[in-house]
Amino acid sequence: MEIVNKLTTKINHFSFLGAGEYHTAAIKQITHNRQNRLIHPQVNSIVLSDHAAERWNERVGPCLSEDKLITVLNQLLLLPGAISITSKGEGRIDNDIVFTYVISDDTLIITTFYGRISLHPPLNNLERLKKYNQAENDRYCFKLSRELLDLQTLPLLPKEVYQYEGSKNSYYIEKYECEGITYCLLYEISSGRVDSIMLIDPEYPQGRQLPGKVLRILRKMGFSEFVNEHQKFHRPDLFIERKKEIPAEKVHTPFLFHLSSGSIPLSRNYLLTHAPQLTIKHAI
């Protein structure tokens, strides 16, 4: 995996999601749900119809205010493969939550939410379900009980996100915390599609060998011990009679964006346009 020196970094903290709410299995499931998903650079923000906001709180859950739901959706839009759409006006969040939409200029307008495939398997083929309902003059009930709505969890959002450009492809490193353990996901984006997702476990430095520049970014993210042990395992020759760490190549100093539950939705264009106006401090 070739990554050039050019580095553009964004780190997002989502304070309305408490660390440790995720299960390990949920983190690993991302590698399946977001694999091979299209990226949509023409979409820069998401808004909801009033109907869609109501249906989320009836069919999807957990129940949220419309403003908070819009914030979550726009943060998901920044993550590769989290939201996928088709040309037929159907979309999915993490290959589970089904919605319909229209696009106006560069804005994705969600018109309604149908529910979760994990709770209603027929939603896996929404078009066929619609045809069945028309032919049988029947309607499938997607509404959930309040108890079941309360059991649902939001799509996973990382604590930090690094995005950088290679000579041909784009790369993302996302940092997740769950059950007292930190995981990282490394995405490779090729031709507007999630080409590969690799799970990095900082507790297991003996895993698949990582490229040098990925290791340097992980070091900046606070995983120096993992990087040292990873290099010792895969390149023990580098540590023979070595007394000092090899200085990392210069990269642009990453910025730390503090977001709160009341923050406005962030889009790619918004970050690029308004970043100097946000509350920023150096992360390193």
Side-chain angles (χ1 to χ4, degrees):
M1 182 185 302
E2 180 183 359
I3 304 175
V4 298
N5 289 335
K6 180 181 177 182
L7 178 67
T8 303
T9 306
K10 302 182 183 73
I11 304 177
N12 301 282
H13 276 251
F14 305 94
S15 59
F16 58 90
L17 287 177
E21 293 184 16
Y22 303 141
H23 295 289
T24 302
I27 301 295
K28 295 180 178 179
Q29 186 64 30
I30 291 180
T31 62
H32 301 288
N33 290 342
R34 299 181 183 176
Q35 176 74 22
N36 205 33
R37 296 293 168 187
L38 288 172
I39 308 302
H40 305 281
Q42 75 275 19
V43 175
N44 290 309
S45 64
I46 295 177
V47 297
L48 299 174
S49 68
D50 292 338
H51 178 79
E54 293 174 2
R55 290 296 180 261
W56 174 280
N57 288 332
E58 292 177 355
R59 299 171 171 179
V60 182
C63 295
L64 298 173
S65 68
E66 184 172 345
D67 288 344
K68 182 170 286 189
L69 178 55
I70 290 175
T71 298
V72 170
L73 292 171
N74 278 275
Q75 289 169 343
L76 286 168
L77 184 61
L78 298 173
L79 307 180
I83 296 178
S84 60
I85 59 177
T86 69
S87 59
K88 297 180 179 180
E90 177 189 340
R92 295 184 183 184
I93 300 173
D94 277 344
N95 201 30
D96 184 36
I97 299 170
V98 179
F99 62 87
T100 54
Y101 72 92
V102 294
I103 293 180
S104 176
D105 296 327
D106 60 354
T107 300
L108 181 84
I109 304 171
I110 296 180
T111 55
T112 193
F113 288 99
Y114 279 88
R116 297 175 182 264
I117 296 174
S118 55
L119 297 178
H120 299 291
L123 285 174
N124 196 41
N125 193 325
L126 183 58
E127 186 175 0
R128 178 179 295 180
L129 179 60
K130 288 180 177 179
K131 290 180 178 179
Y132 172 83
N133 287 342
Q134 293 174 353
E136 300 296 327
N137 193 25
D138 193 7
R139 298 190 67 180
Y140 192 100
C141 181
F142 301 107
K143 190 173 182 179
L144 303 178
S145 67
R146 181 67 192 212
E147 292 76 16
L148 192 53
L149 285 169
D150 291 340
L151 290 175
Q152 305 311 307
T153 58
L154 289 172
L156 271 61
L157 289 167
K159 293 287 290 184
E160 298 177 355
V161 180
Y162 279 77
Q163 185 270 329
Y164 54 99
E165 299 294 330
S167 57
K168 296 181 180 179
N169 300 332
S170 299
Y171 300 86
Y172 286 72
I173 297 181
E174 298 175 355
K175 178 181 177 181
Y176 292 86
E177 294 181 0
C178 64
E179 301 174 322
I181 302 175
T182 300
Y183 293 95
C184 292
L185 293 179
L186 172 64
Y187 295 75
E188 181 177 3
I189 312 302
S190 176
S191 301
R193 185 182 295 273
V194 179
D195 190 56
S196 65
I197 306 176
M198 179 180 176
L199 178 67
I200 301 173
D201 183 355
E203 299 294 322
Y204 186 66
Q206 299 83 9
R208 175 181 165 185
Q209 187 172 5
L210 299 171
K213 287 195 170 59
V214 172
L215 293 176
R216 282 188 281 273
I217 294 171
L218 288 172
R219 191 184 295 278
K220 286 184 171 292
M221 294 176 72
F223 299 112
S224 293
E225 184 177 351
F226 166 82
V227 171
N228 291 338
E229 293 302 318
H230 184 85
Q231 290 179 319
K232 285 181 182 179
F233 180 80
H234 290 284
R235 295 293 305 275
D237 53 301
L238 296 179
F239 284 82
I240 297 177
E241 297 181 358
R242 185 179 182 180
K243 295 183 179 180
K244 294 183 179 180
E245 292 183 359
I246 299 177
E249 294 183 12
K250 289 185 178 179
V251 297
H252 296 299
T253 302
F255 292 107
L256 184 65
F257 295 86
H258 284 282
L259 307 181
S260 66
S261 58
S263 62
I264 60 177
L266 297 182
S267 66
R268 295 180 180 86
N269 281 355
Y270 183 89
L271 283 176
L272 293 174
T273 305
H274 297 81
Q277 304 172 19
L278 299 176
T279 301
I280 300 173
K281 70 176 182 179
H282 288 297
I284 304 300

